[in-house]
């Protein structure tokens, strides 16, 4: 039966030529498959049809946490509405936008896909508000128990998941793109920097935990990573507005009626992508015209004012999710310290055959990691629904939970 699942010499010659032809078409500024660097040297089975960055994609989408994108908030948490974007859809939008740009600029599309699909793996339940609340608890806990405050940020945690928790052995190029993807601020030009080794990368990763804003200054080590970073912003800039309308929400401030880059999601994506490509052909960096850059920057600032910082939209986050996050964090810390093996932190996390290994002595199996790292990693891995269900199961504050209100499908 071996002939069914192995390539003949002639087939190998053909496939090698396919790979050679593919690489020869790449831009001189693209990342080639021969550039791929892993911490542990490894050649996957049938690498001839699964180049290094394609293998990274497989490692990401088949990881134990990938499914959970489907129940993690993008912007709107408390709405039963299948038309609203969740993380699973967002990373696909980012991948498609980035691959469109990458194809036009002759970049490595497998690397773009890997960074795009893995970049938000570290997101907490309840989106950026959940991220803020978890970081508050992590800072407080690490200062009390470790003597030094440490910070949580989702892009840093995405990297930690693949680098350490899952031991996915992703390439340095994919990990760099994931770590430096944070898209809170738009730039007119995006250019990569050099990262020489995993040792240098790990030092950078650690610095992100010690200084809260350090990660915002990072740049990817490939042009493909730069493409994903701007594509992340393009993907949410108009889509978050579209979701606002889908949820029939009325905010206290209205959006501008007209813009250079458009006001509809499709217009924003098309116009910004075209302008990026026009200004970046045969270039070692991504660029936009100043007028397009300023309009995109202003549009995203407007999103913060109208959507992300609206008190009415944020009410349940601060009144219910924030106190529940603190109660859950403290309960799980106590469970670890008291060796309560019936706790979900043991049953659903530390005893997991994949995720639990990083916290234990591999031979004797006792826990070696700090309780704050374990609890932070566990909560970050939760979906929105799991977070609410574990709070209910542990009866952390039933009064708070009873106040939680979801907008149902048939609400008037």
């Amino acid at each position: 039966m071996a002939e069914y699942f192995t390539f003949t010499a002639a087939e190998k010659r053909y496939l090698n030529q396919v790979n050679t032809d593919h690489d020869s078409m790449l831009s001189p500024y693209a990342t080639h498959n021969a550039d791929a660097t892993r911490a542990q040297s490894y050649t996957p089975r049938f690498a001839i049809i699964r180049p290094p960055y394609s293998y990274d994609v497989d490692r990401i989408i088949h990881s134990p946490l990938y499914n959970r994108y489907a129940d993690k908030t993008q912007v709107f948490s408390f709405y039963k509405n299948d038309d609203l974007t969740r993380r699973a859809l967002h990373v696909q939008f980012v991948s498609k936008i980035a691959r469109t740009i990458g194809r036009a600029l002759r970049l490595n599309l497998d690397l773009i896909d890997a960074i795009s699909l893995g970049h938000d793996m570290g997101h907490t339940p309840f989106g950026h508000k959940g991220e803020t609340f978890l970081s508050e608890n992590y800072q407080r806990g690490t200062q009390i128990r470790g003597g030094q405050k440490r910070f949580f940020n989702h892009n840093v945690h995405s990297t930690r998941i693949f680098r350490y928790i899952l031991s996915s052995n992703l390439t340095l190029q994919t990990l760099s793109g994931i770590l430096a993807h944070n898209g809170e601020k738009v730039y007119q030009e995006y250019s990569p920097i050099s990262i020489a080794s995993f040792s240098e990368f790990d030092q950078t990763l650690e610095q992100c935990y010690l200084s809260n804003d350090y990660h915002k200054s990072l740049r990817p080590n490939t042009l493909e990573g730069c493409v994903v970073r701007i594509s992340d912003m393009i993907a949410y800039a108009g889509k978050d507005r579209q979701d606002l309308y889908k949820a029939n929400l009325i905010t206290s401030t209205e959006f501008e009626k007209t813009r250079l880059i458009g006001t509809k999601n499709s217009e924003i994506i098309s116009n910004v992508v075209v302008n990026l490509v026009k200004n970046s052909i045969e270039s070692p960096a991504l660029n936009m015209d100043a007028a397009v850059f300023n309009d995109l920057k202003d549009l995203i600032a407007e999103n913060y004012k109208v959507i992300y910082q609206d008190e009415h939209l944020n009410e349940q986050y601060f009144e219910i999710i924030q106190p529940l996050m603190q109660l859950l964090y403290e309960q799980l810390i106590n469970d670890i310290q008291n060796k309560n093996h019936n706790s979900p932190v043991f049953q659903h996390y530390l005893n997991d055959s994949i995720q639990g290994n990083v916290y234990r002595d591999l031979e004797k199996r006792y826990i070696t990691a700090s309780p704050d790292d374990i609890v932070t990693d566990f909560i970050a891995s939760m979906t929105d629904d799991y977070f609410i269900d574990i709070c209910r199961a542990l009866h952390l504050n039933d009064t708070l939970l009873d106040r939680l209100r979801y907008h149902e499908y048939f609400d008037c």
Side-chain angles (χ1 to χ4, degrees), residues 8 23 30 61 110 216:
T8 65
D23 278 2
I61 65 175
D110 287 334
K216 296 179 182 178

Side-chain angles (χ1 to χ4, degrees), residues 269-283:
I269 293 173
S270 297
N271 289 334
V272 177
V273 166
V274 167
N275 193 259
L276 271 167
V277 172
K278 279 169 59 67
N279 285 279
S280 307
I281 293 173
E282 303 294 351
S283 171

Side-chain angles (χ1 to χ4, degrees), residues 59-278:
R59 294 292 290 169
I60 290 166
I61 65 175
H62 293 290
S63 72
L65 299 180
Y66 190 81
N67 277 12
R68 300 185 189 181
Y69 271 144
D71 186 39
K72 290 204 174 190
T73 290
Q74 176 64 17
V75 175
F76 303 104
S77 297
F78 309 106
Y79 293 82
K80 291 186 177 181
N81 187 329
D82 295 333
D83 292 328
L84 299 184
T85 307
R86 309 294 279 179
R87 289 285 161 196
L89 190 55
H90 169 70
V91 298
Q92 293 178 57
F93 288 149
V94 173
S95 179
K96 184 60 180 75
I97 293 167
R99 282 184 287 115
T100 298
I101 298 169
R103 182 179 181 277
L105 301 180
R106 295 187 293 131
L107 303 181
N108 194 311
L109 301 189
D110 287 334
L111 176 55
I112 284 174
D113 204 27
I115 298 170
S116 299
L117 296 177
H119 80 277
D120 269 355
M121 189 71 76
H123 251 298
T124 63
F126 300 102
H128 285 283
K129 294 296 185 296
E131 178 180 7
T132 298
F133 302 153
L134 182 55
S135 186
E136 291 170 351
N137 286 281
Y138 188 49
Q139 292 171 52
R140 183 167 51 247
T142 50
Q143 190 162 37
I144 291 171
R145 282 172 283 274
Q148 186 171 26
K149 185 186 294 186
R150 294 172 69 83
F151 299 87
F152 176 93
N153 289 285
H154 79 273
N155 55 316
V156 181
H157 190 63
S158 294
T159 313
R160 171 172 164 79
I161 287 171
F162 294 118
R163 180 82 176 100
Y164 298 115
I165 297 175
L166 299 182
S167 299
S168 300
N169 197 27
L170 298 186
T171 60
L172 181 62
Q173 290 80 4
T174 296
L175 290 171
S176 171
I178 290 173
L179 177 61
H181 87 261
N182 192 288
E184 292 183 5
K185 183 178 180 181
V186 61
Y187 294 91
Q188 187 173 350
E189 179 180 284
Y190 292 81
S191 59
I193 61 168
S194 174
I195 298 177
S197 65
F198 272 96
S199 175
E200 180 184 348
F201 179 80
D202 289 341
Q203 291 175 17
T204 300
L205 186 62
E206 176 61 17
Q207 189 61 39
C208 292
Y209 282 102
L210 300 177
S211 176
N212 190 35
D213 292 331
Y214 185 80
H215 70 109
K216 296 179 182 178
S217 66
L218 301 180
R219 286 186 285 162
N221 69 343
T222 65
L223 192 55
E224 288 82 357
C226 294
V227 169
V228 174
R229 179 165 175 161
I230 184 60
S231 297
D232 186 25
M233 304 186 79
I234 298 170
Y236 73 67
K239 193 63 171 73
D240 290 354
R241 295 171 171 228
Q242 190 178 73
D243 285 349
L244 185 78
Y245 300 136
K246 284 283 185 182
N248 295 316
L249 292 171
I250 300 173
T251 59
S252 57
T253 307
E254 293 186 355
F255 294 114
E256 293 288 337
K257 302 296 183 184
T258 59
R259 282 193 173 279
L260 174 65
I261 62 175
T263 57
K264 295 180 180 179
N265 185 42
S266 57
E267 295 172 340
I268 294 166
I269 293 173
S270 297
N271 289 334
V272 177
V273 166
V274 167
N275 193 259
L276 271 167
V277 172
K278 279 169 59 67

Side-chain angles (χ1 to χ4, degrees), residues 72-79 86-87 124-133 136 307-326 384 387 400 403-406:
K72 290 204 174 190
T73 290
Q74 176 64 17
V75 175
F76 303 104
S77 297
F78 309 106
Y79 293 82
R86 309 294 279 179
R87 289 285 161 196
T124 63
F126 300 102
H128 285 283
K129 294 296 185 296
E131 178 180 7
T132 298
F133 302 153
E136 291 170 351
I307 306 174
Y308 315 137
Q309 297 171 350
D310 183 88
E311 291 184 5
H312 174 68
L313 298 180
N314 290 326
E315 186 176 353
Q316 289 202 104
Y317 292 115
F318 288 101
E319 293 186 358
I320 299 175
I321 302 303
Q322 186 176 30
L324 285 175
M325 185 77 77
Q326 182 174 349
D384 292 17
F387 179 91
L400 268 182
R403 287 172 52 198
L404 187 62
R405 292 290 178 267
Y406 283 83

